[in-house]
């Protein structure tokens, strides 16, 4: 790694950490940076997932105020997140990358559109098993490919009755971290990780992610929703161009 490449990864990591902690769009910065330093797509993918361990640590640490009282929800959905992350990582290690990337733009675009819906009022009943199934499905995607998985998780959790965007974002940070963690262990043991790229990107991710949640608290909720949705739709268009054109 040259000094310029190390600097690029560190700066990209800060941007990825910020956007990941606030909007679930970390890979919008980190994945292209890994490609820019010359890594093949699959190697960049698994290296990115390993580095997301640090993004998750920073974002969860920064989200502690939003996570007060969220223990029951975390305990209910962390197991599906772990199982999904392991399943996605296994699929990537055992099967070639292919058509799944062509579905991604529609998933990301749909998730971004869901974020524009106003929050629903609190419901008297606990969320049903469909939420756990959704967390598992998003975690499979996070372990397999990962780009914009946080947007999908945020959109799912933001639809829960009585859940504010900041609470949904805090839950997203925990569950996405769980899915990334188990996938990262699998990739570290069996995948083609470019370890030379990890320190600079991981340091940037940790710093940016720690600053993300406090920044989100200072932004108007409606404006934050619109900004995240717009960024998600922009990423969906870019992924569509890459996958279909």
């Amino acid at each position: 790694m040259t000094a310029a490449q190390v600097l690029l990864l560190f700066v990209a990591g800060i941007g990825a950490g910020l956007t990941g902690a606030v909007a679930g769009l970390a890979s919008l910065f980190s994945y292209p940076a890994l490609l820019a330093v010359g890594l093949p797509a699959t190697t960049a993918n698994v290296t990115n997932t390993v580095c997301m361990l640090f993004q998750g640590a920073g974002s969860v640490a920064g989200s502690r105020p939003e996570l007060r009282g969220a223990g029951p929800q975390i305990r209910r959905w962390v197991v599906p997140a772990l199982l999904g992350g392991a399943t996605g990582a296994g699929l990537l290690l055992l099967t070639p990358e292919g058509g799944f990337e062509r579905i991604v733009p529609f998933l990301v675009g749909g998730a971004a559109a869901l974020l524009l819906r106003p929050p629903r009022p609190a419901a008297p009943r606990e969320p049903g098993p469909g939420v756990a199934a959704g967390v598992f499905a998003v975690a499979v995607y996070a372990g397999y490919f990962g780009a914009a998985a946080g947007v999908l998780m945020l959109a799912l959790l933001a639809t829960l009755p009585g859940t504010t965007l900041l609470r949904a974002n805090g839950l997203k940070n925990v569950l996405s971290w769980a899915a990334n963690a188990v996938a990262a262990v699998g990739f570290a043991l069996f995948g083609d990780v470019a370890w030379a790229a990890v320190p600079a990107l991981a340091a940037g991710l940790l710093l940016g992610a720690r600053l993300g949640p406090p920044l989100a608290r200072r932004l108007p909720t409606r404006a934050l929703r619109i900004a995240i949705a717009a960024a998600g739709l922009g990423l969906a268009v870019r992924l569509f161009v890459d996958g279909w054109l």
Side-chain angles (χ1 to χ4, degrees):
M1 301 292 295
T2 67
Q5 289 174 326
V6 170
L7 180 60
L8 170 64
L9 290 174
F10 179 69
V11 173
I14 294 175
L18 279 168
T19 55
V22 174
L25 287 166
S27 294
L28 180 64
F29 291 90
S30 57
Y31 183 68
L34 289 167
L35 294 176
V37 299
L39 299 185
T42 301
T43 302
N45 187 16
V46 299
T47 304
N48 188 55
T49 299
V50 169
C51 290
M52 286 300 151
L53 279 174
F54 297 87
Q55 191 274 337
S59 60
V60 170
S63 297
R64 283 178 296 178
E66 288 75 32
L67 292 171
R68 291 193 185 102
Q73 291 173 303
I74 292 172
R75 288 190 292 272
R76 185 180 302 125
W77 297 321
V78 72
V79 172
L82 290 168
L83 293 175
T87 301
L91 287 173
L92 181 62
L93 291 171
L94 297 174
T95 62
E97 291 185 81
F100 192 65
E101 287 85 338
R102 296 168 71 87
I103 305 172
V104 171
F106 303 100
L107 296 175
V108 175
L114 280 175
L115 288 171
L116 294 174
R117 294 177 54 186
R120 297 162 61 190
R125 294 181 300 173
E126 291 292 325
V131 178
V135 168
F136 174 80
V138 174
V140 170
Y141 168 66
Y144 183 87
F145 186 64
V151 173
L152 301 177
M153 190 72 78
L154 179 60
L156 170 66
L157 297 171
T159 62
L160 296 177
T163 301
T164 66
L165 183 63
L166 290 178
R167 169 57 71 91
N169 191 53
L171 290 170
K172 176 266 295 178
N173 288 335
V174 174
L175 298 176
S176 296
W177 190 28
N180 271 319
V182 69
V185 171
F187 292 154
L189 293 175
F190 305 110
D192 182 22
V193 179
W195 292 107
V198 170
L201 183 58
L205 283 165
L206 182 62
L207 175 60
R210 184 61 182 84
L211 298 174
L215 174 64
R217 292 181 206 116
R218 290 168 170 76
L219 298 175
T221 300
R222 178 175 172 77
L224 185 59
R225 277 182 179 268
I226 293 172
I228 296 171
L233 289 171
L235 179 58
V237 171
R238 175 179 171 178
L239 292 171
F240 179 83
V241 171
D242 291 342
W244 289 84
L245 302 179

